[in-house]
Amino acid sequence: MKGLLSRALTLATALFQRQALVWDGTCSTGIHMIVARGSTEPDGYGRIGVVAQNASLLIPNSSIATIVYPATFENYFTSYATGASEFEKLVLQYVDACPDSKVALLGYSQGAHAMMDAVCGNSDDGFFVSPEFQKALGSQVIAIVAFGSPDFNKTHPWSAGTSTGAGLFARKNITACEPYAARIRSWCDEGDIYCDLGSDRSVHGSYFANYTLDAAEFIAERFNSSDTVVDVPTTTAPPTTTPTQSGTETTDGTTTETTTDTTTTSTPGSGAGSFNPSWIMILSMAGTLMIWTELL
């Protein structure tokens, strides 16, 4: 059954990727997803977008926004720190405009590193999580998904995948994000050169084949179990400082996504509420979706 469902979602995603609808600022009655691509991927969703796209099939009337940041190996720390700042900026803009909406954050590789620094502060202690962002995390950000993040550490309560080790920039301090542990999933598999310090370059690009459906279902489950979200008290933090680390990540062994979409998109359907698996109608439409995909 899960294999058939996965095939149906893949077909629907193939059709979905042909669309380029700009998010118009309307507050989503589904979930609003903010995604960050991996190193060297073109501007736009990157491969992590497929997780958001599948989640949008499970949660009608959802929307997707992308983080605009360099995503380069050169000046890596400046690049991912820019991504972390952009995560905070986009989240605060959205929750200010849409105080009753729910938000999910998604990142792959360097994009995941940027996302986790936005949520937890710098991997060591270079900068902090602002009280405003802590409030958003406590009230509206209900799911956080990372694939292949260099900050991975198997000891973290949100770790997932087959890795039993730690990443290139393993996070030492999780105090700021421990209150949100149930909302976070960070996948890393054994052998990944960035999140596991392994030697198999192919592993870093394998998460989308192995965990896309798991991650999309995690977001949907969090969405449908979070009708009432308890605010987590904010903590006092020192003034912001810039990261003091320096260095460059080594060459990425993965292939890059060819899509250049920088826009956001939403899927049609009924409003938010208790989970209604009416989307399983996609199964009966799989053949039709295949035809549509061929025609578009």
Side-chain angles (χ1 to χ4, degrees):
M1 175 63 181
K2 190 167 185 176
L4 184 59
L5 173 57
S6 179
R7 174 174 169 75
L9 289 174
T10 299
L11 289 172
T13 296
L15 177 63
F16 185 90
Q17 287 178 322
R18 303 299 182 97
Q19 302 174 357
L21 303 176
V22 177
W23 178 63
D24 61 4
T26 302
C27 298
S28 298
T29 56
I31 193 165
H32 182 64
M33 291 171 280
I34 301 175
V35 306
R37 70 195 193 280
S39 298
T40 74
E41 289 189 300
D43 288 342
Y45 301 125
R47 279 180 286 178
I48 194 65
V50 73
V51 178
Q53 291 163 1
N54 277 291
S56 72
L57 294 173
L58 304 180
I59 308 169
N61 294 323
S62 293
S63 57
I64 307 171
T66 59
I67 293 294
V68 178
Y69 82 113
T72 58
F73 286 124
E74 299 80 12
N75 301 313
Y76 178 86
F77 290 101
T78 299
S79 175
Y80 95 90
T82 298
S85 296
E86 286 298 304
F87 261 111
E88 179 170 351
K89 183 178 79 173
L90 289 190
V91 169
L92 293 180
Q93 285 177 346
Y94 185 80
V95 300
D96 182 62
C98 307
D100 298 320
S101 295
K102 298 174 185 178
V103 180
L105 310 180
L106 300 85
Y108 167 54
S109 192
Q110 184 181 157
H113 193 184
M115 176 188 69
M116 293 303 297
D117 267 33
V119 174
C120 297
N122 184 265
S123 295
D124 292 316
D125 57 1
F127 61 88
F128 76 105
V129 181
S130 72
E132 294 80 10
F133 196 57
Q134 285 180 327
K135 182 177 179 181
L137 290 169
S139 60
Q140 288 178 257
V141 177
I142 54 88
I144 300 165
V145 168
F147 280 0
S149 180
D151 87 316
F152 180 86
N153 191 321
K154 181 62 177 179
T155 65
H156 295 162
W158 44 78
S159 65
T162 63
S163 172
T164 58
L168 191 61
F169 306 116
R171 187 168 302 280
K172 299 175 182 178
N173 188 341
I174 63 171
T175 302
C177 49
E178 276 184 308
Y180 322 113
R183 308 175 196 192
I184 306 172
R185 286 292 182 277
S186 181
W187 276 270
C188 177
D189 278 348
E190 183 178 1
D192 188 307
I193 59 176
Y194 300 125
C195 67
D196 185 61
L197 294 183
S199 58
D200 188 344
R201 292 182 177 276
S202 67
V203 174
H204 195 61
S206 67
Y207 301 104
F208 308 97
N210 296 332
Y211 301 117
T212 288
L213 187 56
D214 291 337
E217 289 177 338
F218 170 71
I219 294 170
E221 288 165 3
R222 288 291 309 161
F223 176 83
N224 291 295
S225 65
S226 61
D227 290 334
T228 301
V229 180
V230 178
D231 285 338
V232 177
T234 59
T235 58
T236 303
T240 303
T241 60
T242 56
T244 57
Q245 295 168 292
S246 63
T248 303
E249 191 177 359
T250 55
T251 304
D252 196 337
T254 64
T255 57
T256 59
E257 184 71 31
T258 56
T259 179
T260 57
D261 284 348
T262 59
T263 57
T264 59
T265 181
S266 60
T267 55
S270 58
S274 59
F275 185 55
N276 183 351
S278 60
W279 52 267
I280 293 180
M281 290 176 62
I282 295 170
L283 293 173
S284 63
M285 296 170 58
T288 303
L289 285 170
M290 178 73 81
I291 293 171
W292 287 348
T293 302
E294 292 298 322
L295 291 176
L296 293 177

